[in-house]
Amino acid sequence: MKPTRIAVIGAGPSGLAATRALDRAGLDVVGFEASTDVGGLWDITNPRSTMYESAHLISSRTTTEFADFPMRSTVDYPGHRELKKYFGEYADTFGLREKFRFGARVSRVQRDATGWSVDGEHVDGVVLANGTLAEPSIPNFPGQFDGELLHSSAYKSATIFAGKRVLIVGAGNSGCDIAVDAVHHAASVDLSVRRGYYFVPRYLFGKPSDTLNQGRPLPARIKQAIDSRVLRAFTGDPVRFGFPKPDYRIYESHPIVN
């Protein structure tokens, strides 16, 4: 009996993890990757990557690494180049590269009589690991603007801001990273937000902030109460700096780690 054949679309972290798990389960895996190497968005040379020069993890190394393959790096928050190298080492260690076809952009996935068809090739199942952030969503603003409009997915280096007045729309992790980059080059930097946020520094009490209470989780309400007080002690109240007051408790929405 032929083993079940599964297609994995995307050789980023999720695609590699899925391929490793399926392979360990004894399934036949065929991978498709539009770029020329593993790493997904962490490969800044990938044309679909949204990576920029200053990008680092927002979760710390020990809470991000694969359980069966610790990172060799001792840096708490590795940058994108270290992450790209790490995913390459992971793929090589477990023989994942040879399961992928590189330069193979999938254009059609559909049901067939007994399973699925991936660009005309039959498989029994499909894992979509093609990324959620590869296609930019650019809003339409009323009125006329004669300056440059740049989506964060196209941002690579802060030198483009030299001497300019910069408005960053959105205070997600990328927006805040870009704001930090821009202040070293731009004539001025403003940040526009729709709601209040909780801003979490990468370090608290000298340790990566996401490792506090690691392995010993507190009940949600207690953790929210304690961490809110710790944040106020370390960073102050963001309302004092012009941000709206959050209309939700910490961790009810993704905090900004910056």
Side-chain angles (χ1 to χ4, degrees), residues 43-116:
D43 179 6
I44 199 170
T45 65
N46 181 341
R48 286 168 57 83
S49 173
T50 57
M51 204 52 54
Y52 41 91
E53 288 295 339
S54 62
H56 287 69
L57 279 175
I58 60 169
S59 55
S60 63
R61 169 176 48 84
T62 58
T63 61
T64 305
E65 62 193 5
F66 293 119
D68 60 350
F69 194 74
M71 291 189 194
R72 297 185 186 186
S73 173
T74 58
V75 177
D76 290 328
Y77 294 95
H80 63 88
R81 289 181 179 83
E82 291 173 288
L83 266 295
K84 169 65 170 62
K85 181 180 178 182
Y86 172 67
F87 294 128
E89 292 172 346
Y90 180 80
D92 290 338
T93 299
F94 297 114
L96 305 181
R97 284 186 198 271
E98 51 263 39
K99 297 186 179 298
F100 277 88
R101 300 173 188 173
F102 294 99
R105 186 185 181 100
V106 173
S107 60
R108 188 174 182 84
V109 176
Q110 64 183 116
R111 283 278 195 181
D112 62 19
T114 57
W116 294 86

Side-chain angles (χ1 to χ4, degrees), residues 1 19 34 36 43 45 49 58 70 77 122 136 161 190 209 218-219 255:
M1 183 176 177
T19 301
T36 58
D43 179 6
T45 65
S49 173
I58 60 169
Y77 294 95
H122 174 77
F161 299 131
D190 289 285
S209 54
L218 295 170

Side-chain angles (χ1 to χ4, degrees), residues 2-208:
K2 292 177 62 177
T4 301
R5 195 164 197 241
I6 307 294
V8 176
I9 301 175
S14 295
L16 293 175
T19 301
R20 164 84 168 131
L22 294 167
D23 184 54
R24 291 180 70 180
L27 303 178
D28 180 21
V29 183
V30 54
F32 299 85
E33 169 55 50
S35 187
T36 58
D37 201 0
V38 302
L41 67 83
W42 290 100
D43 179 6
I44 199 170
T45 65
N46 181 341
R48 286 168 57 83
S49 173
T50 57
M51 204 52 54
Y52 41 91
E53 288 295 339
S54 62
H56 287 69
L57 279 175
I58 60 169
S59 55
S60 63
R61 169 176 48 84
T62 58
T63 61
T64 305
E65 62 193 5
F66 293 119
D68 60 350
F69 194 74
M71 291 189 194
R72 297 185 186 186
S73 173
T74 58
V75 177
D76 290 328
Y77 294 95
H80 63 88
R81 289 181 179 83
E82 291 173 288
L83 266 295
K84 169 65 170 62
K85 181 180 178 182
Y86 172 67
F87 294 128
E89 292 172 346
Y90 180 80
D92 290 338
T93 299
F94 297 114
L96 305 181
R97 284 186 198 271
E98 51 263 39
K99 297 186 179 298
F100 277 88
R101 300 173 188 173
F102 294 99
R105 186 185 181 100
V106 173
S107 60
R108 188 174 182 84
V109 176
Q110 64 183 116
R111 283 278 195 181
D112 62 19
T114 57
W116 294 86
S117 172
V118 178
D119 281 348
E121 183 172 346
H122 174 77
V123 293
D124 299 297
V126 180
V127 175
L128 294 175
N130 58 320
T132 59
L133 303 174
E135 299 295 336
S137 177
I138 302 176
N140 291 317
F141 296 105
Q144 181 177 346
F145 176 63
D146 296 325
E148 181 181 5
L149 184 64
L150 180 74
H151 190 273
S152 61
S153 63
Y155 169 72
K156 297 300 178 185
S157 172
T159 55
I160 64 170
F161 299 131
K164 297 179 181 178
R165 297 172 59 215
V166 178
L167 171 65
I168 296 170
V169 180
N173 287 299
S174 294
C176 288
D177 277 353
I178 294 170
V180 172
D181 287 352
V183 296
H184 300 286
H185 299 269
S188 67
V189 180
D190 289 285
L191 193 61
S192 170
V193 299
R194 289 185 296 180
R195 64 187 305 198
Y197 295 92
Y198 292 93
F199 295 90
V200 180
R202 282 193 166 98
Y203 289 92
L204 290 170
F205 304 109
K207 295 182 178 181

